[in-house]
Amino acid sequence: MHPTNPDVVYVASETGLWKSVDGGASWANRRPGRITDALLDPSAPETLYVGAHIDGVYRSVDGGATWVPRQGTTGGFFTALPWGAAAEWIKLSMGQGGAAGTRFIAAKMGLDSGRVFLSTTAGNNWVMVPDVVQPAGYNE
């Protein structure tokens, strides 16, 4: 839900990221596909992130009108996010405080959601957390 306009609501579903601008009276699909998670940046409410099943992580800076993949860079300290079938099920989380604020994004993804990637640059670069995360026996 938009932090200052309660008429703007987003819902992640099996068929996409749906947006209502009239408090739920009508809905528009802003990102087709199986959306497993969605985040709205409360400090910049036009910025959204979605996890698209067997696809990847995307960011929109215009309320969901356009989307850009958040693959990040490879080499050195940074790691590219899994894409396509390797992305599998994706869950997202966003920081509120700390040095990076809402630019801190965590993506738990892959087979049984056992891999975690962190970004302090709003998804421009990612670091994979060492394999210390217990995979779940189910995705939901």
Side-chain angles (χ1 to χ4, degrees), residues 6-130:
D7 286 334
V8 177
V9 182
Y10 296 89
V11 174
S13 78
E14 294 278 326
T15 59
L17 181 74
W18 293 84
K19 179 181 182 179
S20 175
V21 295
D22 55 13
S26 63
W27 295 88
N29 192 336
R30 304 309 291 165
R31 175 65 173 81
R34 186 176 182 190
I35 305 301
T36 58
D37 209 353
L39 299 173
L40 179 141
D41 185 338
S43 65
E46 294 300 307
T47 300
L48 304 161
Y49 299 84
V50 296
H53 183 251
I54 309 180
D55 192 354
V57 176
Y58 291 82
R59 179 176 70 191
S60 173
V61 295
D62 54 13
T66 60
W67 296 91
V68 176
R70 298 285 87 196
Q71 292 175 301
T73 59
T74 58
F77 188 64
F78 299 111
T79 307
L81 284 178
W83 255 161
E88 294 212 9
W89 192 265
I90 303 167
K91 297 304 286 179
L92 302 170
S93 183
M94 177 183 286
Q96 296 291 317
T102 57
R103 292 182 319 275
F104 181 90
I105 308 289
K108 189 174 185 207
M109 57 197 314
L111 181 61
D112 293 326
S113 300
R115 292 176 291 165
V116 175
F117 296 82
L118 303 177
S119 173
T120 58
T121 59
N124 293 323
N125 297 9
W126 296 87
V127 176
M128 185 173 163
V129 175

